[in-house]
Amino acid sequence: RYTYAAPADSSSAAYLGTLCKCILARSGEDVDIILARLKNVKAFERFHPSLLQRICLCGFYECLEKGITLYRQGDIGTSWYAVLSGSLDVKVSETSSYQDAVTICTLGTGTAFGESILDNTPRHATIVTRESSELLRIEQREFRSLWEKYHQCMAGLLVPPYGVMESGCSADRMPDKENISNNSFVSVSKHQNKVPSEKILRAGKILRNAILSRAPHMIRDRKYHLKTYRQCCVGTELVDWQMQQSSCVHSRIQAVGMWQVLLEEGVLNHVDQELSFQDKYLFYRFLDDEQEDAPFPSEEERKESQEELQDTLLLLSQIGPDAHMRMILRKHPSERTADDLEIIYEELLHIKALSHLSTTVSTVSRNHAQLLRLLSHLRAEWQTATTCACVVISGVVCTLHEGDDFGKLALVNDAPRAASIVLREDNCHFLRVDKEDFNRILRDVEANTVRLKEHGQDVLVLEKSLSSSRTSSHGASSSHYKYKVMSGTPEKILEHLLEMMRLDSQFTESDSSLDDFVLTHCVFIPNSQLCPVLMAQYPFSTALQGSEQEKLDYTLNNKRRVIRLVMQWAAVHGDHLQEEDVSVAFLEEFLVAVSNDAKVIPALKDQLTTLERIVKQNTEDARISQKKHKVLLRQFSMGDEKLQKRQPIKSNDEILLKVYCCDHTYTTIRVPVAASVREVIGAVADKLGSAEDLLLVNLSSAGEKVIFKPNDVSVFSTLSINGRLFACRRDQLDSLTPLPEQEGPSAGFLASFELMSSKDVAYHMTSYDWELFHCVHELELIYHTFGRQNVKKTTVNLDLFLRRFNEIQFWVITEICLCSQLSKRVQLLKKFIKIAAHCKEYRNLNAFFAIIMGMSNPAVCRLSQTWEKLPSKFKKFYGEFENLMDPSRNHRAYRLTVAKLEPPIIPFMPLLIKDMTFTHEGNKTCIDNLVNFEKMRMIANTVKILRYCRSQPFSPDSPLASKNHPEVRTYVRQLNVIDNQRTLTQLSHGLEPRRS
């Protein structure tokens, strides 16, 4: 079946002649001839010379014509092959018949195949020459010998990382099954012989040249244990250096991930071929330094490294976390540190397949994170992207994408797989939990679950866990366990939390679960139902058993627990209690009960004083608010009231509001802030004299119409920036047009704005934003997440703060798009970048994000002539700011930054809202008719971020900016903007027409 190809020249003839010789007959000269040719084969180009010499001694040459079958699927292999020229088709049959075989990929020059000879497994595919091809063949015994000695170096040849050709017959081609077998060597890194991607290769060169330019002593010959390592760096020094270079590198862990990117791609290598970069005294060598007499950077290369270093670090900071995650998952479970497990756990929370898990189950996942493996099925090459797999039963039935999971039903039911999983794209990465570990996790969850039943039904479900603070060296007993509420009826949850309350510590420290209950109870038990339950928990009789002193102590402690809870409840809910008659009545009744008990039990008097103050404040404020309502003039988006210091708006405050008709006439109504649409329409009808099928409509400046539902409440605060309320009949909807005032300004405020200090603008903006932010009640986040209509509450303060974000964003776009002079626009860009930098300095991240998003708007970012003239220093700042806004990995860059800040902080509020929504939609509120308290705990944890951000006040006497600029203060509080994207885009095209 083999044919001999005529040599093209004498050197080829000598080369082929030596390969055809018997192994024992090859001389040193023969080896040199073969070696000279093999060095030019891509598959071997990075092999150690000693390994290449061994291959020269044991390799055979074969030349096959087109259409020759090298071996068939199911054969027991005897040789391993590398393709020197030509190409071969890989065919796989799902049946035993060769006629059913389908070509799944093509192997081109430089690829290798046949590694099943290592463990004598049958061939997984049939190999047929696609054209005349030259092969290098190594027999099984010799290959095994090579593998034992050089397996780290040869691992890359066990999959075809080079030159896999597209056959053109199918875009959905599968990888060569032979190359994804479950042999022991699959876990060995494939990146040792990988050709680096162009951008990572460039990143490596920039970093190397920057090090040689700024700290050349870092790359030098090193001696260790009497052995010299040429031109090496030390891991700890690389991390230290990188952290000094850029503000985008926040931690040593982050820097490790960035170096791991280079290590994975082979641009940086450990001298002993270790697969993980470590922040230790270990030696690493850049790819350029692998060769003798590596070139020193030229003056031009030094300059390039200086200019491109920050962009390179930004790139690596974006992809580094994924490389670090893969590095951890490749470790053996026993080698993973506590920090490794924490990183895995944080990543699990961002995987869609696990988003529905409560924190209890996630805790189990944290404990078992060491069970995860990284599987990487390869076709053409090893990449970092997580892509998708395809599920097949008979024909394609669905496609699994990043974050999806599969396989759990077969594990739970111990059933055969119901479908075949075929890779649809290259380079799919998977997390895997083995069956035994999966079952152990399920058993552990159930074993640590305690269920309390009444009348045969679960009423409380607890999770048992070992309390580390009480664990002794002699082992744990049952008393050393703590129990966390997973779900239950509201009454039983409250009863259990009260029993667990510790009276000898601060409330928030020992009773965070009670705090979570107080924050979130409006979702599952409103105040009208909670107040009777609280009163029922207050004991009116003593215990029935024990000595008299024990009875008194038991009763006293129970009373003190309930009193403490009620005070915490009143403190958290604040002004919101005053709006409910039932809550005020309960506080008065509860105070009477405690006062009567304090006459008999003197130990209650210390709590009674605080309780009296709380009740008095709430009852008096409630009576005052019933007699006198604060009136808010005009609409929230306009008016002189913005110049006053903002105070929280209550639902029973009243607003004077214009409601427009089709002909742009209007009527002014006065209604409570929390009024429903039905009440607003009623007030309009009284003024118009008719309520005939009136609709209340939100009309935006772009002409978009939103019809409010009759039960919607507090609709004023949900209007867009330039939106207005219209009342009309349904047959008049089409005739509604925006008011001229909704169009926004026709000229910018550049003349006055350019005279203002960027720092002053940022300061006064932060001062105003802080006022708005401070008005937002914690509970408004919960009302917003679960729906104001569902909890019958208003979120007006939160709505106004969220609208401020949009207002700042459109302010940036408006000012730039209304600036006709190119030079002035460049100055505006610089000014906005400086204002953003100062907002970040003031920890006003909400305004910072709004400004950068305004500059990223299509109407602004398309102004190429303007951006081209922006100085490189400002382009660099803007690039860093955009990196902070990177939404990948659940806004990882932003979260890392915020974690290092101390309050006061104005957070990026839309992301907090997203987190709340993600938790709400990914978890059921009730499970088996029981409140899912784990969900409440996750909701409360996000709300507490708000509490932490405001735990320190923003000082108006800050020396960082001058306050003697009333015109700046007025300007930032009354931004006049265009919020019609279509208009802004038209203005942008007028400034810089599209280039043909």
Side-chain angles (χ1 to χ4, degrees), residues 228-346:
T228 299
Y229 296 88
R230 188 177 51 78
Q231 291 298 92
C232 292
C233 313
V234 173
T236 50
E237 293 180 4
L238 287 175
V239 171
D240 290 338
W241 180 83
Q242 199 169 66
M243 292 191 68
Q244 295 167 5
Q245 304 308 310
S246 173
S247 60
C248 72
V249 185
H250 305 288
S251 66
R252 300 188 74 85
I253 288 178
Q254 185 187 7
V256 166
M258 294 164 69
W259 286 116
Q260 179 66 22
V261 173
L262 302 184
L263 193 70
E264 280 191 352
E265 296 262 357
V267 175
L268 184 75
N269 292 299
H270 187 277
V271 293
D272 290 331
Q273 303 301 315
E274 294 291 334
L275 311 180
S276 302
F277 184 89
Q278 297 186 60
D279 185 8
K280 295 181 179 179
Y281 192 80
L282 298 175
F283 297 155
Y284 297 90
R285 186 182 295 120
F286 282 97
L287 181 61
D288 286 347
D289 292 317
E290 295 281 357
Q291 54 183 311
E292 296 283 349
D293 301 323
F296 208 75
S298 63
E299 192 60 38
E300 184 179 350
E301 287 175 327
R302 286 170 177 266
K303 185 178 178 182
E304 286 178 347
S305 69
Q306 183 77 14
E307 293 174 351
E308 297 182 34
L309 179 60
Q310 295 305 318
D311 290 339
T312 298
L313 292 173
L314 279 174
L315 168 68
L316 294 177
S317 70
Q318 291 169 349
I319 58 182
D322 291 331
H324 192 218
M325 179 69 170
R326 287 194 298 274
M327 180 181 76
I328 293 171
L329 289 172
R330 288 191 187 100
K331 289 183 182 180
H332 189 274
S334 62
E335 297 174 356
R336 292 179 191 155
T337 64
D339 288 339
D340 291 342
L341 297 183
E342 189 65 29
I343 290 171
I344 296 175
Y345 171 66
E346 290 298 325

Side-chain angles (χ1 to χ4, degrees), residues 142-404:
E142 297 294 339
F143 186 75
R144 281 181 172 175
S145 176
L146 290 175
W147 173 256
E148 287 174 6
K149 188 170 183 179
Y150 300 100
H151 64 276
Q152 285 188 328
C153 194
M154 295 179 67
L157 277 180
L158 298 184
V159 293
Y162 318 109
V164 173
M165 298 171 55
E166 295 295 335
S167 66
C169 58
S170 174
D172 298 332
R173 198 170 297 111
M174 293 164 47
D176 182 356
K177 290 188 178 182
E178 187 162 43
N179 293 319
I180 58 171
S181 62
N182 293 322
N183 295 333
S184 60
F185 51 77
V186 169
S187 62
V188 178
S189 173
K190 312 307 191 282
H191 67 256
Q192 295 299 316
N193 290 300
K194 174 179 168 50
V195 175
S197 65
E198 188 175 333
K199 64 180 181 180
I200 301 302
L201 192 61
R202 179 66 179 169
K205 286 183 179 296
I206 294 298
L207 291 179
R208 175 182 178 271
N209 291 342
I211 290 173
L212 288 173
S213 301
R214 302 181 180 193
H217 64 279
M218 288 176 57
I219 302 178
R220 65 179 190 271
D221 292 350
R222 312 260 182 176
K223 284 191 175 181
Y224 188 71
H225 285 190
L226 304 179
K227 185 176 180 180
T228 299
Y229 296 88
R230 188 177 51 78
Q231 291 298 92
C232 292
C233 313
V234 173
T236 50
E237 293 180 4
L238 287 175
V239 171
D240 290 338
W241 180 83
Q242 199 169 66
M243 292 191 68
Q244 295 167 5
Q245 304 308 310
S246 173
S247 60
C248 72
V249 185
H250 305 288
S251 66
R252 300 188 74 85
I253 288 178
Q254 185 187 7
V256 166
M258 294 164 69
W259 286 116
Q260 179 66 22
V261 173
L262 302 184
L263 193 70
E264 280 191 352
E265 296 262 357
V267 175
L268 184 75
N269 292 299
H270 187 277
V271 293
D272 290 331
Q273 303 301 315
E274 294 291 334
L275 311 180
S276 302
F277 184 89
Q278 297 186 60
D279 185 8
K280 295 181 179 179
Y281 192 80
L282 298 175
F283 297 155
Y284 297 90
R285 186 182 295 120
F286 282 97
L287 181 61
D288 286 347
D289 292 317
E290 295 281 357
Q291 54 183 311
E292 296 283 349
D293 301 323
F296 208 75
S298 63
E299 192 60 38
E300 184 179 350
E301 287 175 327
R302 286 170 177 266
K303 185 178 178 182
E304 286 178 347
S305 69
Q306 183 77 14
E307 293 174 351
E308 297 182 34
L309 179 60
Q310 295 305 318
D311 290 339
T312 298
L313 292 173
L314 279 174
L315 168 68
L316 294 177
S317 70
Q318 291 169 349
I319 58 182
D322 291 331
H324 192 218
M325 179 69 170
R326 287 194 298 274
M327 180 181 76
I328 293 171
L329 289 172
R330 288 191 187 100
K331 289 183 182 180
H332 189 274
S334 62
E335 297 174 356
R336 292 179 191 155
T337 64
D339 288 339
D340 291 342
L341 297 183
E342 189 65 29
I343 290 171
I344 296 175
Y345 171 66
E346 290 298 325
E347 289 298 322
L348 290 182
L349 295 181
H350 303 150
I351 293 176
K352 187 177 71 174
L354 305 178
S355 65
H356 64 285
L357 295 180
S358 67
T359 52
T360 300
V361 179
S362 294
T363 302
V364 177
S365 298
R366 185 202 300 260
N367 295 336
H368 293 277
Q370 66 270 27
L371 306 176
L372 295 168
R373 307 285 192 276
L374 179 69
L375 286 184
S376 300
H377 292 291
L378 304 107
R379 277 174 56 188
E381 58 182 336
W382 175 267
Q383 291 279 354
T384 59
T386 302
T387 51
C388 64
C390 186
V391 183
V392 182
I393 297 177
S394 178
V396 178
V397 295
C398 70
T399 300
L400 301 174
H401 297 276
E402 180 177 344
D404 292 332

Side-chain angles (χ1 to χ4, degrees), residues 113 121 134 159 213 216 312 314 331 379 395 423 438 495 509 526 547 608 618 676 682 723 747 774 790 795 797-798 808:
F113 57 94
T121 56
E134 292 179 292
V159 293
S213 301
T312 298
L314 279 174
K331 289 183 182 180
R379 277 174 56 188
L423 300 192
F438 182 84
E495 183 180 325
E509 291 178 5
S547 65
L608 178 62
N618 277 280
S676 68
H774 198 264
N790 297 328
T795 60
N797 298 290
L798 176 60
I808 294 173

